Amino acid sequence: MNKPIMAKATAVWLVDNTTLSFKQIGDFCGLHELEVQGIADGDVAAGVKGFDPIANNQLTQEEIDAAEKNKAYKLKLKFNPAAVGEEKRRGPRYTPLSKRQDRPNSILWLVKFHPELTDGQIAKLVGTTKPTIQSIRERTHWNISNMQPIDPVALGLCKQSELDAVVQKAAAKIAREGGGMTDDERRKLVSTETSLGMEAEPKIPTSISGLETFSLSETPEEEKEEEKSVADADSFFNLPSGSDDEDDDDQS
């Protein structure tokens, strides 16, 4: 259900100018019934000026009259054609000024204890920017020496349920991706049945004896040519025995 703008100021006006029940006002303004009672007692929203929902086109007098007659009736926000199709603003979470100085400490805590979270998830969780997160990851932040890791839930920057949801989402993503392996590494993985059915890869001999009996650089044709050349050289240097006898006769 949509809530009126300036909800607390609207509740102040409804308490002062109508006979609606605290529950009806609380349901319409998004407040607790006891908080509305505190407004009526002057303990809550002291000094807040009432915001007229009728003059500001949020309620009609007929709607208020119907709710006053029936205490079970729930007020409905007046239809605003200008709001049709309006998208919710996207961006970092709004952080009050009083808590902005605590954001670096919460970022340091998330980076240290939940490294699985991405910069985008941290930015949405505590309402910061990616350059700030990167500077804290790389420890180049201007105040890194004075920072202490503090739980963002303890600082009031987010809810425990929001932190748990983001952590579970990041863990599930890592599990789907196979523990952080790259796509190439995952493609190289095969099942046990597939690996047992694959042929054994040929192995290159590592011993000297193996290298003596098998040469990778020479083919059988090259070996024959080498043997032939060695035989020709031997025949050239080995002269016939008859030529030696003729030389001895000439000398005599």
Side-chain angles (χ1 to χ4, degrees), residues 209-241:
S209 59
L211 293 175
E212 291 176 352
T213 57
F214 179 75
S215 175
L216 295 176
S217 59
E218 294 181 355
T219 61
E221 291 76 6
E222 292 176 347
E223 292 178 356
K224 291 181 181 180
E225 292 293 335
E226 184 177 357
E227 292 176 357
K228 183 178 180 181
S229 62
V230 172
D232 293 342
D234 292 341
S235 62
F236 179 78
F237 288 104
N238 294 333
L239 297 176
S241 59

Side-chain angles (χ1 to χ4, degrees), residues 89 91-98 100 103 123-124 126-128 156-157:
R89 178 182 178 272
R93 178 195 299 268
Y94 173 76
T95 305
L97 292 174
S98 60
R100 291 184 184 181
R103 282 188 302 191
K124 292 181 179 180
V126 298
T128 185
L157 295 173

Side-chain angles (χ1 to χ4, degrees), residues 7-9 11-12 16 31 35-36 38-40 42-50:
K8 190 165 291 187
V12 171
D16 295 338
L31 304 175
E35 190 173 1
V36 179
I39 293 175
D43 299 330
V44 180
V48 176
K49 184 179 180 180

